[in-house]
Amino acid sequence: MSSIRRSTGLSLLVAAAITLSACGNNNAGSANNTASGSPSQGNTPAQTAAATQEPAKQTLRILSGVAGGKTPEENEQFEQEIERLTGIEIEIEKPAADYSKKLMAALAGGEKYDLVYMGKTEMDQLVEQGVLTRLNDMIDASAVLSDPEVIEPSEWDLVKYGDGDIYSILNKKEGGTLPTVRQDWMDKLKLEEPKTLDEFYTVLKAFKEQDPDGNGKDDTYGLSTSGLYDIQGFMSAAGVKYRYVIDADGKRSIPYSTEAAVPVYEWFAKLYKEGILDPNFATNDTAKMRELFLTDRVGMVTYWDAWVGLFNNMRQTEDPDTAFVAKGITGAAAPDGSFMLRRGDPSVWGIPVNAEHPETAIAFMEFWHSEDGNILSTLGIENVDWTKGSDGSYTLTETGEEHGMDHGAPFPSSTKFVNPVGTLPGAAEAREIIFSNNSTVELSTADWPNAEKIVQNYAFKAMMGDLPAADAVKSMNAELKSAGLID
Amino acid sequence: MPRFRQHIGLYLMFVPVIVYFLIFLYFPLVRGFTISLQEFRMIGDRPFVGLEQYKAVLGDPFFWQALKNTLWIGAGQLAFGFAASLLAALSLGEVLNPLFKKFNQMVLYIPHLFSWVIVGGIWIVLLSPDGGMVNELLKLAGVEQPVHFLAEERYARWIMIGTSVWKEMGYTCIIYLAAMTLINPSLYEAARLDGAGRLKQLWYVTLPQLVPTMKTVFVLQLLGVLRMFDQLIVMRNPAIYREVDVLMTYVYEQGIQQFQMDIASAASFLIIAATLVLTLIFSRVSRYDLS
């Protein structure tokens, strides 16, 4: 009996161990399957072409994070519209959430897509792992994609590796993030657009204390953010940029961990202490931050330029008589009067090395960057999102109004494209601020996820007043150094 | 052999079970272990690197921080969860009104039915400095500045322990209550004849009779310690990462977010080894297998 019990105990142990390993191993197992079912590494066009000697069929399987309809039903209409416009039979998979995980899991599991949408982080990982096809020759051979008026050379620079290798095609022209203010509250309280941290403090304090929404309650905050995303508009005052800076000698530093950032952390600590900064700022996600802005709880947020237009569109669609006006502003100026804003990482399309129809994928990308493609990626589907009058004018339908002129690329790359409906209120002005104020992409490395945790930890301590800003920065810097994350 | 032939039908019925476990558990386990010895690539060759990934994990200060957090939070959940559920069961066992008892049992049990997404969301709202119930109560008690519980490192681990105990207490309590119904009534009768009051009956009859159940509950909770994940993923945020990142979130970040499957697999197998060691120690100390 005793031995039976003993063996039962042992069985329990083994079962527990196996159950425990399930999480990691399912992924690992599926990942391993890829090796057997995929071509060996080698992602030059010649090899890809060799692997697809039969004439390219006009069919395409796409994994998309943004391009497509807003609902599953509209996604089908989107596919039909592409087929109507291009003759390409298309299948778009557009996961509702967790896109990046779905992308990685699908590719590791051996799924074959002709085109995959991704951000820069995923692109870096996939290039490093040899998953993406090198596209330089295909791009050079394409009259559309190599046209500098369609995709500017400086944009291509954002996606180049090593000696100029390109593994992806840009989806759109990315904007950036900037402080977005309730202009109607500014007007109501007779406030001037702030340029320095002190002026920002005055405005934000007024939003907190002078009942800008007029409901007679002390229920507004001056500023809300979603963690450190994105305080760059204020760090601009100190001339420091988020993530890594690598100098000519290859020495890595993180400017947010330098003494230069101290006054800005102290400024945030003052806002937090006085209740001007949304107390949930450290735990907010961006959706929560947006909700606060749209529901009259906060006077300023920091977010994407395109969202200035979307904020206005949402409120005006909901209530045409609303006084709500969102406006993008430049952020805080450095002592020399310059600004240092954040340009978004490029979002791109890549062709996996196991794609069955790479030539068709290029044909689709040429369409995506054509006039018709630009209309589809902005306005959406004809007769669903918009209609065309006999005089050639475009009018958004009610559905199109709701969709906010964004079906994957609200601002296409092509410099030739002019949105026939015009941009959403305030969006173009916000975009102009990004492109005329030294807005650059942030530099990340493989170490950044670990470094970011240290930066966030001490930055929050400083901003919430748990540690004097100078001490927080000193500790942040020391810890980054001892972990080998900066030089 | 004749006995095998006699029961061959039963053995055949067991074949699908064996096949299921081979395909869905042991096969991924072996593949995962293989990956932990390789330099992982999604496509192409995967060179064997021996124990390099294990060395990388063991040399990563974030792994050790995650281990420390896991043991800290796990020990708290074990200690307080174990004590709270036992106390609740003993208290409910003393309730004579069956309706009141069932009502309380239900109230205690309900949080277990919800996923951590719901429970975490509830507590995030309750603890919010912007109108959260806890801060409103503190305000009534004269506290002027709202406390941002979920963004303060000093509270972070305790909140994870407290909310976990709150969620799971009712479930464990029911296991104890079920065990209590199996205690022989004659033991209580004998105790009463010997002059034992309710407290002494509890101490000398109920508790000793619950020891085997306690051991089972403890070992189950112990096995869960190194696997805690859902709660932390839902309730953690950048302000408290350092205090609440646990081994499973480490594996998740390495494997799913950074897609370093080799590192994640190595970390997984270290966790498996740690679980085996923990369980063996408990088994040896408590003589669990003999209870």
Side-chain angles (χ1 to χ4, degrees):
Chain A
M1 194 64 185
S2 161
S3 67
I4 292 173
R5 282 177 178 162
R6 191 163 291 135
S7 59
T8 308
L10 270 175
S11 304
L12 248 180
L13 290 180
V14 173
I18 291 165
T19 309
L20 182 67
S21 67
C23 170
N25 290 316
N26 285 340
N27 292 311
S30 62
N32 225 356
N33 295 338
T34 314
S36 55
S38 306
S40 59
Q41 193 193 352
N43 46 9
T44 63
Q47 282 168 307
T48 311
T52 55
Q53 282 179 352
E54 64 190 54
K57 283 193 288 184
Q58 293 288 297
T59 61
L60 211 55
R61 187 171 180 229
I62 294 178
L63 186 63
S64 163
V66 297
K70 299 285 186 183
T71 61
E73 295 75 31
E74 208 200 12
N75 217 35
E76 275 181 36
Q77 293 171 320
F78 201 85
E79 290 170 350
Q80 289 159 10
E81 183 73 345
I82 291 171
E83 195 171 346
R84 183 181 75 81
L85 293 167
T86 64
I88 299 172
E89 192 181 314
I90 206 158
E91 180 195 338
I92 298 179
E93 287 176 32
K94 193 180 177 196
D98 288 334
Y99 177 76
S100 159
K101 288 170 207 155
K102 163 78 180 166
L103 166 72
M104 292 301 191
L107 292 175
E111 291 263 10
K112 290 184 178 177
Y113 293 100
D114 298 306
L115 265 179
V116 292
Y117 172 89
M118 65 204 134
K120 184 175 183 302
T121 308
E122 293 80 33
M123 175 173 65
D124 288 346
Q125 288 170 340
L126 295 179
V127 168
E128 195 268 331
Q129 300 226 355
V131 175
L132 297 180
T133 305
R134 186 177 176 276
L135 301 174
N136 295 56
D137 294 343
M138 290 183 179
I139 292 164
D140 290 344
S142 163
V144 177
L145 300 175
S146 63
D147 182 347
E149 288 189 323
V150 173
I151 299 177
E152 295 163 85
S154 59
E155 292 292 297
W156 283 117
D157 290 343
L158 298 174
V159 294
K160 280 181 180 168
Y161 291 86
D163 295 329
D165 295 335
I166 296 175
Y167 294 90
S168 62
I169 296 164
L170 291 123
N171 175 56
K172 60 177 177 173
K173 187 160 181 178
E174 289 302 331
T177 52
L178 76 175
T180 300
V181 69
R182 282 289 297 268
Q183 185 59 40
D184 53 320
W185 287 10
M186 297 264 286
D187 295 341
K188 185 178 175 185
L189 302 177
K190 299 186 171 44
L191 297 164
E192 293 292 318
E193 184 175 317
K195 293 281 185 199
T196 65
L197 282 185
D198 286 342
E199 290 170 11
F200 268 97
Y201 173 77
T202 305
V203 167
L204 298 175
K205 191 176 166 68
F207 286 165
K208 164 74 183 165
E209 295 174 352
Q210 295 182 27
D211 191 24
D213 59 345
N215 67 356
K217 293 180 191 166
D218 176 18
D219 62 351
T220 51
Y221 298 112
L223 173 70
S224 182
T225 73
S226 170
L228 290 193
Y229 180 102
D230 176 80
I231 63 170
Q232 185 57 47
F234 306 103
M235 280 293 179
S236 165
V240 293
K241 193 73 186 274
Y242 198 42
R243 298 196 192 174
Y244 275 109
V245 167
I246 301 178
D247 67 16
D249 301 326
K251 195 176 168 190
R252 297 172 307 164
S253 65
I254 296 175
Y256 274 33
S257 71
T258 61
E259 280 184 16
V262 168
V264 187
Y265 290 132
E266 285 173 341
W267 180 81
F268 271 106
K270 186 164 76 165
L271 295 187
Y272 185 76
K273 190 179 171 192
E274 295 180 15
I276 296 170
L277 178 62
D278 167 18
N280 277 319
F281 85 97
T283 51
N284 279 341
D285 55 22
T286 53
K288 176 76 179 161
M289 180 182 79
R290 294 196 304 262
E291 184 199 327
L292 286 174
F293 192 69
L294 283 167
T295 54
D296 300 337
R297 292 291 316 279
V298 67
M300 192 182 294
V301 291
T302 50
Y303 209 41
W304 292 98
D305 55 351
W307 267 89
V308 175
L310 288 170
F311 282 137
N312 288 321
N313 184 57
M314 283 175 177
R315 281 293 292 262
Q316 285 167 18
T317 304
E318 193 182 294
D319 173 17
D321 299 325
T322 184
F324 181 101
V325 178
K327 184 186 174 191
I329 56 178
T330 41
D336 65 359
S338 64
F339 296 94
M340 186 178 273
L341 293 174
R342 166 183 180 239
R343 177 103 195 269
D345 282 340
S347 57
V348 297
W349 294 96
I351 302 176
V353 290
N354 61 357
E356 292 179 333
H357 310 108
E359 290 83 7
T360 316
I362 291 291
F364 173 78
M365 289 317 304
E366 288 175 335
F367 159 74
W368 190 250
H369 288 287
S370 69
E371 173 78 13
D372 281 345
N374 292 160
I375 292 288
L376 183 66
S377 66
T378 54
L379 305 189
I381 307 155
E382 186 170 5
N383 297 325
V384 175
D385 293 296
W386 56 274
T387 53
K388 198 170 183 180
S390 53
D391 59 348
S393 64
Y394 290 74
T395 308
L396 291 179
T397 62
E398 199 176 322
T399 305
E401 294 275 1
E402 280 172 21
H403 291 170
M405 292 193 282
D406 178 4
H407 288 80
F411 290 97
S413 293
S414 177
T415 56
K416 300 173 186 172
F417 177 68
V418 178
N419 189 322
V421 176
T423 51
L424 293 176
E429 293 82 355
R431 198 168 174 79
E432 180 58 26
I433 288 171
I434 293 295
F435 285 103
S436 56
N437 282 289
N438 186 31
S439 304
T440 50
V441 292
E442 291 165 348
L443 183 59
S444 191
T445 69
D447 285 338
W448 174 247
N450 289 335
E452 186 170 36
K453 282 190 173 179
I454 296 171
V455 172
Q456 285 177 332
N457 177 55
Y458 286 105
F460 285 136
K461 281 195 170 94
M463 292 163 78
M464 294 169 74
D466 289 343
L467 262 183
D471 293 351
V473 164
K474 206 171 162 187
S475 304
M476 188 193 300
N477 201 283
E479 200 166 311
L480 287 166
K481 242 180 205 152
S482 72
L485 295 166
I486 55 174
D487 302 310
Chain B
M1 205 57 184
R3 287 189 67 180
F4 176 77
R5 280 189 190 144
Q6 189 185 345
H7 297 296
I8 193 157
L10 292 174
Y11 286 114
L12 284 175
M13 284 168 71
F14 203 64
V15 167
V17 178
I18 295 172
V19 170
Y20 171 85
F21 279 99
L22 281 176
I23 294 174
F24 292 106
L25 286 175
Y26 289 97
F27 179 69
L29 191 66
V30 172
R31 299 296 291 227
F33 183 66
T34 311
I35 285 179
S36 75
L37 301 172
Q38 294 173 327
E39 189 183 319
F40 176 81
R41 300 181 76 83
M42 289 169 83
I43 291 179
D45 298 335
R46 294 175 183 172
F48 269 86
V49 292
L51 297 176
E52 283 305 309
Q53 313 299 6
Y54 288 88
K55 281 184 196 165
V57 173
L58 294 173
D60 184 353
F62 290 97
F63 174 79
W64 292 106
Q65 181 66 34
L67 177 63
K68 184 179 153 192
N69 295 342
T70 306
L71 294 177
W72 211 104
I73 297 170
Q77 288 180 352
L78 265 180
F80 290 99
F82 188 80
S85 54
L86 187 59
L87 272 175
L90 293 176
S91 309
L92 282 175
E94 295 301 304
V95 174
L96 296 177
N97 184 326
L99 264 181
F100 184 67
K101 183 176 174 176
K102 280 185 178 168
F103 175 75
N104 280 295
Q105 208 172 308
M106 184 188 73
V107 169
L108 275 177
Y109 184 71
I110 278 177
H112 172 75
L113 296 175
F114 296 119
S115 75
W116 268 112
V117 177
I118 307 290
V119 174
I122 289 171
W123 278 103
I124 287 169
V125 171
L126 288 178
L127 294 169
S128 167
D130 181 25
M133 192 183 77
V134 177
N135 269 301
E136 291 301 308
L137 291 174
L138 287 175
K139 202 194 282 181
L140 287 176
V143 177
E144 287 180 10
Q145 282 286 337
V147 182
H148 200 335
F149 291 101
L150 279 168
E152 301 261 3
E153 285 189 331
R154 66 195 130 171
Y155 303 124
R157 288 169 173 168
W158 289 109
I159 288 170
M160 299 308 154
I161 292 168
T163 49
S164 168
V165 171
W166 180 82
K167 182 176 186 295
E168 298 304 335
M169 187 169 65
Y171 173 70
T172 319
C173 175
I174 279 182
I175 297 176
Y176 287 130
L177 285 172
M180 282 160 70
T181 61
L182 298 175
I183 298 174
N184 190 341
S186 62
L187 293 173
Y188 289 105
E189 203 176 321
R192 273 198 297 274
L193 286 174
D194 287 342
R198 292 187 78 90
L199 204 63
K200 285 201 169 172
Q201 286 176 41
L202 204 78
W203 187 256
Y204 289 108
V205 179
T206 312
L207 275 177
Q209 291 295 311
L210 283 180
V211 166
T213 312
M214 285 187 218
K215 285 183 179 177
T216 307
V217 165
F218 191 83
V219 82
L220 287 174
Q221 290 183 339
L222 186 71
L223 290 174
V225 162
L226 297 182
R227 284 194 298 153
M228 62 175 116
F229 178 72
D230 298 8
Q231 176 193 15
L232 285 312
I233 280 292
V234 171
M235 296 187 73
R236 72 186 188 145
N237 63 67
I240 55 172
Y241 276 161
R242 179 192 295 243
E243 298 297 302
V244 300
D245 270 355
V246 291
L247 289 173
M248 277 299 175
T249 56
Y250 176 84
V251 171
Y252 170 76
E253 282 178 2
Q254 297 293 331
I256 305 296
Q257 291 186 327
Q258 297 179 35
F259 222 66
Q260 300 186 73
M261 282 298 178
D262 39 17
I263 297 283
S265 298
S268 291
F269 276 88
L270 288 172
I271 296 170
I272 291 172
T275 307
L276 279 171
V277 169
L278 267 180
T279 317
L280 280 171
I281 290 172
F282 175 75
S283 175
R284 198 51 76 82
V285 170
S286 69
R287 304 312 310 273
Y288 170 76
D289 54 334
L290 296 180
S291 62

